Amino acid sequence: MRLKDKVAIITGGASGIGLAAAERFGQEGAILVLADINQDNIDRASAELSAKGYTVHGEICDVTDQAQTREMARAVAEKLGRIDILVNNAGISRYRPFAEATAADWDAVLGVDLKGVFFCAQAVAPQMRAQQYGRIVNISSALGTGAAPHGTAGSPGGSAAYASAKAGVIMLTKTLARELGPDGVTVNCVAPGTFLTPISASSRTPEQVQEHLEYRKKTVVLNRIGTLEELANTILFFASDESSYVTGHTLHVDGGRSDRM
């Protein structure tokens, strides 16, 4: 088992990409910590994972609150003795036509998708440094690597806040890799393309979701939407010692996006 007895915190771990990563980590023997803002989701996901024989703990945490992230990390270290892995997955989107986007939209998205990554990494870093070991995996997005030609929310700039935050995650990954590398902590980033998750529908109607998926199929050389299991396998690579000499790297998991090639 690649993660046997490793303590893995996954933010936004009770649904979507986070839950898929948690299940994959559980298969590899990790002790799972689902850090999420929604207690009902934590309870549901914990029950689902526990029924499969995985060791699961839940922690309520608003990643935009620095005090909460520090308390979450302190509680995990006190309860479980160490923190080996952090997956910075918690994220939101508020797709709006550029001209209609508000300051509240901007602040909400950057608060969770960028500031939350910074706060959580900062919270676990002291424990990882003390151990001289750690794996931090940040979740960015293909939207953070270039402006896609397909308009989001009726505007080419409809993903301005989300794309800006996810681009920031890529650069934050590099700076944290430089900061924490001497202490045996690797920091890497996964930039997913299109996957069907709850966030896909957070700012779209069901019809818009289907249109979005059909369009994206045509922009990837594999001509299909990826599965969460495929994405979880990539996250696992960075969380495991198989990637022990890789840090500061962003790996695109997007089926070969033709608009990037």
Side-chain angles (χ1 to χ4, degrees):
M1 288 188 173
R2 283 175 276 186
L3 303 181
K4 184 171 175 54
D5 298 328
K6 295 288 178 67
V7 175
I9 297 173
I10 304 170
T11 69
S15 64
I17 293 171
L19 182 56
E23 179 159 5
R24 189 68 186 89
F25 285 14
Q27 293 167 359
E28 294 292 338
I31 299 168
L32 306 172
V33 180
L34 307 183
D36 204 283
I37 199 170
N38 187 304
Q39 185 65 58
D40 289 342
N41 284 349
I42 289 175
D43 293 342
R44 175 191 49 76
S46 295
E48 177 183 326
L49 293 168
S50 295
K52 296 180 179 180
Y54 310 140
T55 302
V56 190
H57 301 268
E59 292 286 340
I60 281 283
C61 184
D62 177 353
V63 299
T64 69
D65 186 319
Q66 188 177 44
Q68 284 195 37
T69 60
R70 289 179 174 178
E71 173 57 24
M72 179 269 294
R74 185 206 63 77
V76 171
E78 182 178 279
K79 184 188 307 181
L80 301 176
R82 57 189 297 114
I83 299 171
D84 298 294
I85 300 160
L86 168 67
V87 179
N88 271 314
N89 166 73
I92 64 170
S93 67
R94 287 193 182 179
Y95 298 132
R96 300 275 194 275
F98 173 69
E100 299 173 16
T102 66
D105 294 330
W106 181 268
D107 290 344
V109 173
L110 268 74
V112 176
D113 295 0
L114 182 55
K115 186 166 69 174
V117 174
F118 175 77
F119 283 167
C120 289
Q122 192 178 55
V124 304
Q127 179 65 36
M128 289 184 173
R129 279 175 150 160
Q131 298 167 178
Q132 290 288 289
Y133 179 91
R135 301 282 180 265
I136 296 176
V137 187
N138 298 326
I139 307 301
S140 178
S141 168
L143 282 172
T145 68
H150 181 54
T152 299
S155 165
S159 61
Y162 184 79
S164 297
K166 293 303 188 178
V169 168
I170 292 172
M171 185 51 68
L172 180 58
T173 296
K174 295 178 181 180
T175 60
L176 294 181
R178 183 178 291 275
E179 174 83 13
L180 299 175
D183 295 302
V185 180
T186 65
V187 187
N188 289 292
C189 183
V190 174
T194 303
F195 293 84
L196 184 58
T197 69
I199 203 172
S200 303
S202 64
S203 298
R204 298 184 178 98
T205 66
E207 293 76 19
Q208 287 172 330
V209 169
Q210 191 58 40
E211 186 271 341
H212 173 69
L213 296 178
E214 289 303 318
Y215 176 83
R216 284 299 175 210
K217 286 180 185 178
K218 300 173 184 176
T219 67
V220 300
V221 298
L222 294 183
N223 197 34
R224 65 177 176 83
I225 302 303
T227 68
L228 290 180
E229 291 77 12
E230 289 172 315
L231 183 54
N233 282 333
T234 308
I235 299 170
L236 171 64
F237 170 68
F238 281 140
S240 75
D241 288 338
E242 291 179 0
S243 62
S244 58
Y245 201 60
V246 182
T247 195
H249 185 73
T250 296
L251 181 58
H252 299 250
V253 186
D254 59 11
R257 282 280 290 269
S258 58
D259 55 357
R260 303 282 188 273
M261 298 173 72

